[in-house]
Amino acid sequence: MYGVYLMTIVIIHNKGQYNHRIKRSLQYLKIPCELVSNELTIEEIEAKNPEGLILGSGPLMETAGNSIEYIKHFDILILGICLGHQLIVKVYGGEVSSSDTESYVKVELNIHDNDTLFKELGNKMEVWSSHKDEVSKIPENFEILASSSLCDVEAFKHKDKKVYGIQFHPEVIHTPKGDYIFNNFYEICKG
């Protein structure tokens, strides 16, 4: 494929059980991607010349390796999933707190903005989500894209930068339309 430029998405492995499924989901969609350790340096990530970063889930903030540094450094499209979503909030000055819901649950999202990440998904969407920790205060310059009866901030985006976060897991079978999220993410990358 000489002369063909493929945009690569780098998936940051934050030690969560579903990080490999993120990679598999993107591969099924024919989206070029690579799953890498969150211990790589900024320079090692830059050498991969990514068009976008996906910050995967993980059990604790302490298992996030260099993810906070990636959020601060890179000016490319970033999507945080679960822990990645919460790390973005921390970097930008929001707040994360423990929830009363401590397990994975099926949740119905109320989609407030379906122009970007939720394009073609209408006003409701069933998702599989972990709510042990969740965003309790959104940072300045962010807007909420989706909420649920369990959480006011299921998804957000930065108003001026290409930074998105979602509390739920689009990569699992329990999120039937999760592929739309990844396709829309890739389309935003290409735009």
Side-chain angles (χ1 to χ4, degrees):
M1 290 227 175
Y2 180 76
V4 175
Y5 173 66
L6 293 176
M7 295 177 16
T8 300
I9 305 301
V10 171
I11 306 157
I12 307 300
H13 194 320
N14 280 322
K15 315 280 192 268
Q17 61 181 325
Y18 295 139
N19 284 256
H20 288 281
R21 291 190 64 82
I22 297 170
K23 178 182 177 187
R24 241 188 334 248
S25 295
L26 268 60
Q27 288 174 327
Y28 289 146
L29 295 168
K30 308 238 185 295
I31 297 173
C33 63
E34 183 178 355
L35 179 64
V36 302
S37 166
N38 64 10
E39 298 297 327
L40 293 185
T41 65
I42 295 284
E43 293 75 25
E44 288 172 314
I45 299 287
E46 283 178 334
K48 297 178 181 304
N49 199 26
E51 291 292 325
L53 287 181
I54 295 178
L55 302 167
S57 62
L60 300 165
M61 294 269 180
E62 293 75 24
T63 64
N66 294 325
S67 291
I68 285 178
E69 298 311 311
Y70 306 150
I71 296 165
K72 290 177 180 177
H73 176 80
F74 286 102
D75 189 23
I76 57 175
L77 184 59
I78 296 175
L79 172 64
I81 297 175
C82 198
L83 177 63
H85 165 84
Q86 296 157 15
L87 292 169
I88 291 168
V89 166
K90 287 288 216 182
V91 167
Y92 283 93
E95 293 176 14
V96 174
S97 59
S98 295
S99 166
D100 294 333
T101 308
E102 291 213 14
S103 62
Y104 288 94
V105 292
K106 187 169 266 197
V107 175
E108 183 176 72
L109 292 188
N110 299 308
I111 299 170
H112 308 296
D113 178 340
N114 53 14
D115 287 337
T116 54
L117 209 54
F118 293 96
K119 190 174 182 180
E120 297 183 25
L121 287 168
N123 297 323
K124 303 278 185 190
M125 177 182 179
E126 281 194 349
V127 300
W128 190 247
S129 194
S130 169
H131 283 274
K132 183 177 179 190
D133 295 311
E134 62 189 23
V135 175
S136 52
K137 182 180 175 192
I138 195 165
E140 216 176 298
N141 296 319
F142 278 74
E143 61 186 270
I144 297 171
L145 298 179
S147 61
S148 74
S149 61
L150 292 179
C151 179
D152 291 337
V153 189
E154 291 283 358
F156 61 68
K157 74 174 181 178
H158 193 287
K159 291 178 181 176
D160 303 314
K161 300 180 181 182
K162 291 183 177 180
V163 177
Y164 295 81
I166 54 178
Q167 179 69 40
F168 62 92
H169 293 271
E171 70 275 15
V172 298
I173 196 165
H174 306 295
T175 302
K177 294 184 177 177
D179 288 355
Y180 282 81
I181 301 295
F182 290 128
N183 267 326
N184 289 338
F185 173 77
Y186 193 54
E187 287 303 313
I188 297 166
C189 260
K190 292 193 293 188

